[in-house]
Amino acid sequence: MHVHAFIEIAQRPPHINNQRPQPTHNTEHDWTMAKKGKGNAGAAAAAAAAAKKTKKSSSSSIGGRKKAAKQAGSTPALSPLSVVLAVLVLGVAVWMGAQWWCSTTLNNRPHSNTSPSADGDTSSDSEHAGDSDPPSLIQHVLDTHSRVDPEHEHSSAVYPRATLAYVTPWNNKGYDVAKRFLGKFSHVSPVWLQLNVDGGRFVVNGEHDIDLGWVADVRRPAPGTNRVAKVVPRILVEGPAMMSVLSPNRDKQQEVLSKLLDVCSRNKFDGLVLELWSRLQISPEIRSALTQLVSFLGDGMRRNNLELILVVPPVSSSFGHADFDKLASTVSYFSINTYDYSAGGTAGPNAPYKWVRSTLETLLRATQRGRAKPEQLLLGLNFYGNLFTPEGGRPILGRDFVTMLAESKDHVTMSWNEGAREHVVKPTASSQPVALYYPTERSIQERIALANELGVGICIWEIGQGLDYFYNVI
């Protein structure tokens, strides 16, 4: 199957949450060139044509010189200096020819995408540093992606701050991961609930997905640590409710709060993750209404010993340090979507390291005023990747990533982008720019180290999409 695995994977339906941008679905490209070796064959043909042309030109030149000498009646004598110069020129020509042949025939690879990244670097191959043997990198992933150190399976010692794990019904593996790695997560957020409007009244939909048996399993004390995860389902505000909840009418706000408290009480949840702020185009009027609503809901839930976690975008113009400061006293944590940087279709890293750092450092300015605390911010980790072709981008899950590497390992290279601090996979021969960015144990470890340095927590979208060896570093 080889590089055709990329085409097959790209045509599979996405499993990314619907509130994030969806790349194009049709991804037809000419990766068969890499499988059939047409790239090198074309270079060889070009070299042969060039050699033939050079030979013909040389023959014409020699014939002209012979004719001129014959007409002159004698052959000019060569001095020793002329002989030395001729040998030097011939040597330089041979060396340059060898270099040209090697660069075109032995290293015939596609041009990399050199669009500037978030940190001013590019994704060209020359800037991938630190890994000198791409085949061994691929084999390392294939050999280790499912291995978990038994000592770390339930331990929370690797990252002791708040760790929020999202679980989605459409990736059932996440339910098993949450139970298997008890102790890794301080909060588990199943994506079950939606807030909408029906007949002019607010309603909570999605309760048919609630699995109280699984909730009980997730709440078991983790072996060796006795850490107990809090279950905080995500509630997505959608449809007409997105604007209805922003009404300054206090009765409307109380109705929303009552719905939230009721669903938590009946199912014994520890709180909720509210997804609203990240879904709206923020204007001064919207910001004011959102701040008032979230403050009211957060205060009401806190008075009932429940936590409210707010999903926020990684854009300071939409959610900045001033917003963090105003809401820090009523919101328990802020889940920041520090990923999807290149999801619009332009090939590039999922979460450039310097961009992630800059986003967090901007929000951390609020902590200088005393109310907001660093540990309330949750750095977002993506456990999915993106495949980029000339037709656009496409989400890739862990199982697809492993399948692609296994079936195409002889036709792709894997290298480390030092600027973005992510691995990228590219075909060894293709006439089109194609790249696959998917997180690895190393890229996850880099971001967890950053979170630890800044004193913030982490959140994961989402644990059903990732690879098991990620949990060795969490």
Side-chain angles (χ1 to χ4, degrees):
M1 189 169 168
H2 303 306
V3 293
H4 289 298
F6 282 89
I7 300 176
E8 179 188 349
I9 292 168
Q11 292 174 338
R12 293 172 185 167
H15 295 279
I16 304 302
N17 187 14
N18 58 10
Q19 91 261 15
R20 296 181 174 86
Q22 293 299 321
T24 53
H25 289 198
N26 295 321
T27 51
E28 298 295 334
H29 47 74
D30 64 345
W31 278 41
T32 52
M33 293 288 286
K35 179 181 178 183
K36 296 179 180 179
K38 289 186 178 179
N40 286 343
K52 184 176 181 180
K53 182 178 180 181
T54 303
K55 181 178 180 181
K56 181 178 180 181
S57 175
S58 177
S59 297
S60 299
S61 177
I62 292 173
R65 286 198 299 271
K66 285 182 177 180
K67 183 176 181 180
K70 185 176 181 179
Q71 290 175 346
S74 64
T75 303
L78 297 176
S79 67
L81 179 59
S82 298
V83 172
V84 171
L85 291 175
V87 170
L88 288 174
V89 169
L90 179 62
V92 171
V94 170
W95 179 82
M96 292 179 66
Q99 293 295 312
W100 173 85
W101 184 88
C102 289
S103 64
T104 57
T105 304
L106 299 181
N107 193 32
N108 183 27
R109 296 186 297 176
H111 293 292
S112 301
N113 176 16
T114 56
S115 301
S117 67
D119 51 331
D121 294 329
T122 67
S123 58
S124 64
D125 287 342
S126 63
E127 297 190 10
H128 295 158
D131 293 326
S132 58
D133 188 3
S136 67
L137 281 176
I138 293 173
Q139 195 58 51
H140 175 74
V141 173
L142 293 175
D143 291 343
T144 64
H145 71 87
S146 61
R147 297 180 186 173
V148 179
D149 185 345
E151 294 184 3
H152 291 299
E153 191 158 352
H154 300 296
S155 172
S156 60
V158 175
Y159 200 76
R161 295 187 185 88
T163 303
L164 169 65
Y166 289 101
V167 180
T168 62
W170 52 88
N171 283 318
N172 289 332
K173 179 184 175 183
Y175 290 109
D176 295 328
V177 170
K179 292 190 294 184
R180 178 183 177 187
F181 296 105
L182 288 174
K184 292 289 184 183
F185 313 119
S186 61
H187 297 72
V188 176
S189 181
V191 178
W192 284 336
L193 307 175
Q194 307 89 41
L195 181 69
N196 218 316
V197 174
D198 185 10
R201 304 302 297 267
F202 290 106
V203 294
V204 174
N205 296 324
E207 292 195 56
H208 61 277
D209 282 324
I210 296 175
D211 184 344
L212 293 180
W214 175 81
V215 170
D217 289 338
V218 170
R219 281 208 178 106
R220 288 186 295 112
T225 66
N226 289 325
R227 188 181 193 182
V228 177
K230 294 182 178 181
V231 178
V232 286
R234 188 197 70 172
I235 184 162
L236 181 70
V237 183
E238 58 182 10
M242 282 197 291
M243 297 310 297
S244 296
V245 296
L246 298 180
S247 169
N249 187 310
R250 183 51 59 92
D251 291 338
K252 286 283 188 182
Q253 294 179 351
Q254 183 60 51
E255 183 184 352
V256 174
L257 176 60
S258 296
K259 292 293 182 181
L260 302 188
L261 294 177
D262 176 64
V263 74
C264 288
S265 175
R266 286 187 291 103
N267 297 285
K268 295 181 170 52
F269 295 147
D270 299 293
L272 293 169
V273 175
L274 177 65
E275 180 131 23
L276 173 63
W277 198 296
S278 59
R279 294 169 59 79
L280 294 171
Q281 187 71 31
I282 303 300
S283 65
E285 294 78 19
I286 294 292
R287 173 177 268 109
S288 176
L290 272 173
T291 301
Q292 184 182 14
L293 172 69
V294 172
S295 296
F296 179 79
L297 297 179
D299 183 63
M301 294 190 70
R302 178 163 293 186
R303 284 188 278 104
N304 285 272
N305 297 316
L306 298 170
E307 293 186 351
L308 181 67
I309 300 174
L310 182 66
V311 179
V312 298
V315 182
S316 59
S317 59
S318 297
F319 186 86
H321 61 87
D323 301 304
F324 179 26
D325 179 66
K326 290 177 182 177
L327 296 172
S329 61
T330 55
V331 174
S332 300
Y333 297 98
F334 298 83
S335 176
I336 312 170
N337 297 339
T338 43
Y339 36 77
D340 280 349
Y341 180 84
S342 304
T346 301
N350 296 306
Y353 183 86
K354 290 183 180 179
W355 171 71
V356 175
R357 173 185 281 276
S358 175
T359 299
L360 269 296
E361 288 180 338
T362 298
L363 292 173
L364 285 170
R365 295 178 193 170
T367 62
Q368 300 172 0
R369 303 179 184 180
R371 288 188 294 185
K373 299 178 181 178
E375 56 267 27
Q376 289 180 271
L377 298 179
L378 306 180
L379 183 156
L381 298 175
N382 56 290
F383 273 17
Y384 63 92
N386 280 293
L387 169 65
F388 297 96
T389 71
E391 286 72 33
R394 182 71 167 170
I396 295 296
L397 308 189
R399 60 176 179 266
D400 300 325
F401 178 65
V402 171
T403 298
M404 180 279 297
L405 290 185
E407 296 176 351
S408 306
K409 62 181 180 181
D410 295 332
H411 303 276
V412 297
T413 60
M414 185 174 185
S415 53
W416 177 253
N417 184 317
E418 184 60 35
R421 301 198 192 183
E422 293 184 23
H423 280 103
V424 59
V425 178
K426 294 183 178 182
T428 53
S430 173
S431 62
Q432 298 290 342
V434 183
L436 171 59
Y437 286 85
Y438 187 84
T440 57
E441 188 178 44
R442 178 177 176 182
S443 69
I444 296 294
Q445 192 167 23
E446 291 269 1
R447 283 148 184 79
I448 290 178
L450 174 62
N452 198 34
E453 174 193 339
L454 298 177
V456 303
I458 59 176
C459 57
I460 302 167
W461 185 270
E462 46 93 358
I463 58 176
Q465 300 173 339
L467 300 176
D468 289 347
Y469 79 154
F470 293 168
Y471 301 102
N472 287 323
V473 297
I474 294 178

